[in-house]
Amino acid sequence: MLTSIIGYPRVGALRELKFATEKYFRHEISVEELENIAKKIRKTAWLVQSESGLDFIPSNDFSFYDNMLDTAALFGAVPKRYSKLNLPQLDTYFAMARGYQGENGDTKALAMKKWFNTNYHYMVPEIEDDMKLVLAGTKPFDEFAEAKSIGVQTKPVLIGAFTFLKLARFTGNKTAEDFSNELAEAYSAYLKKMDALGAAWVQFDEPYLVHDLTTEDIYLFEKLYKKILENKGNVKVLLQTYFGDIRDYYKKIVFLDFDGIGLDFSEGKKSFALVKENGFPQDKLLFAGVVNGKNIWRNHYAKTLDIISRLKKYCGEIVLNTSCSLLHVPYTLQNETKLSDDYTKHFAFAQEKLYELAELKKLADDSNYFDTEVFRNNAALFEHRADCHDAAVQKRVSEIGDSDFTRLPAFAEREAVQKKEFDLPKFPATTIGSFPQTADVKANRTAFRKGEITEEQYVEFNREKIAECVALQEEIGLDVLVHGEFERNDMVEYFGEQLNGYLFTEKAWVQSYGTRCVKPPIIWGDISRRSPMTVEWSVYAQSLTKKPMKGMLTGPVTILNWSFPREDISLKESAFQIALAIRDEVLDLEKNGIRIIQVDEAALREKLPLRKSDWYGEYLDWAIPAFRLVHSGVKAQTQIHTHMCYSEFTDIIPAIDDMDADVITFEASRSDLLILNSLKENHFKTEVGPGVYDIHSPRVPGVSEIKNALDKMLEKIEENKLWVNPDCGLKTRGETETAASLKNMVAAAVQLRNEKGCN
Ligand code: GLN
Ligand code: ZN
């Protein structure tokens, strides 16, 4: 039996790449220094994998920002607005990723979207009509050679042509189909070069195949691959799928000229049945994704070996594989010094998953595996987990009734009450919550965590920050204020730390986008709130201003989706437990005079099943009720906001309206306001603040640019429902650009009010 992984994390176990890249952005290190750090990270990863005994070691899974962006660059899909900046190669690449504002010009970044159902974000390639897609770069070849030079033979991985075209945006009149021939040629050239370099296998990632596919999709796929596979020479080609099963296409795809097919047996509910019912060609390798690449729990060997032995009946050779790239889990448990072994023995991060693969490989080849110590120790892990059950929590969840999901009075009546209550100007201006997390803000938290300052000192510092932040917002002229979230490192971790049932890691970072990483907490047991979590900060902030201060909470679905979830109870059960805890916080804020409460559901769209047919049955049926449970207990006067980020939620607009919030703010600036059409078509009732500028870029938007965006919004949104805000929190931004951007934003809102004669 052989073993493989689809990809490995790449920011470095201690986020070395993140820090180096950010230094490079600040012109503190040279491109050579950055390249050297990247090289070291790649080398370490390859050596760890090779020492673990892994048979198929990926290369080109590294990226300075994102693999979609790498693929676009590899095939010359560089929009003119970037190439005409005339920057060095890597800087052009970063301009596409982050936008550019400097001596050479001023242009926005590419759009960024969530990668399937993960919290990773990819850059959306833009394909212009007159672009010529050709093999234009050398990154995969360089990295293959680099690994070879340290004695590691790798399997280069690349996003496949089909997924690339399906996720790209075509800015002119041409379509994916129009580019299919030249792209197939470019991929063929890639294969030929890999062949010449001596690659034995290459992997094409085609996760798009796990969606509901149309006949046109299948036609496109076949057109691409018939051509590409003609040119494979001696290279063996692995078609790798993940994040689900390929039920729409399985029967045909297995007969294409691939040498290996990677199926996901973790999220692919039908993968096993597909193999069983249709068989699997004996001359191909089945890369069986049996080690979950998305979650951090130990693999259950008994279950895995059972699947493998059942699969063996239908297939020739099986390769033990992860279910997706290990990009979505942290590097290693070795850096976790604080969690006791009682907990950590239940976990496997990327490096530990390599060891699991090695163990599984041995066991799978041993007919007496159940007699081995390795197997018995593993089985014992699943018999018992300490302190994870709380009877009171389970009882409360079981007692939730229908009325707990319904807020009264209904929306229209509340809207009228609230218009009077707040008497805000038209097009009220607000922000999403966080203000820049400057070095002093982070230092204050770190010092407190390390016990270097007292709690009073810690609180005092944050209060000063809040006061400055409130004063700044008043000066800028915002209408609904926020306290700035200086006490939070992360919108989920902050709450998780104050909830029973959560576990925290020290270094378990997972890449979210570019140089940004998140450290998802682990849901270990039943969840409950110990005491109020945000009330003091919000009440203090409100005491500084007459304007309404938004309470700021994270919603249950996001808390759940950005944590590593339990596998022993359902997601619905966990979501309801968290919802009850947040509900208590909402009611406490209201009781303490906070009249507007924002419950962020940044990640609601993220775990939407990739197949439409599963949306309601498997997800929305509990996710939307979980949100409603949070706010159904407040008075008509209390205004509930929610916020969502970068996702295409065009298709779930009715479900979002059904969350029954009073106001929703969301990301729109990077996606050309396409979502607005859908709001109109669906008679969206909730008031809306589609982000008027992109906060993921340091660029300062001009007043007229924002005003134009607002004008466009007003074509689709009723005047009395439109809010004005950036598209997400400002915590990753610098102070100067933030103040400048917000001033421009308010100026645009004021201009609009003047135009409409309502100032
Ligand atoms: N309130 C959070 C903030 O402003 C929301 C963050 C998010 O949506 N990702 O940072
Ligand atoms: Zn956001």
Side-chain angles (χ1 to χ4, degrees), residues 77-92:
V78 179
K80 276 187 282 302
R81 66 177 197 272
Y82 304 109
S83 52
K84 79 173 187 224
L85 294 171
N86 267 317
L87 299 168
Q89 202 180 353
L90 187 63
D91 293 346
T92 307

Side-chain angles (χ1 to χ4, degrees), residues 147-174:
K148 209 167 175 181
S149 76
I150 55 166
V152 181
Q153 171 76 22
T154 56
K155 162 196 70 172
V157 307
L158 186 61
I159 290 174
F162 174 68
T163 296
F164 180 77
L165 285 179
K166 291 302 292 181
L167 298 184
R169 218 159 95 197
F170 296 85
T171 58
N173 296 318
K174 287 195 187 169

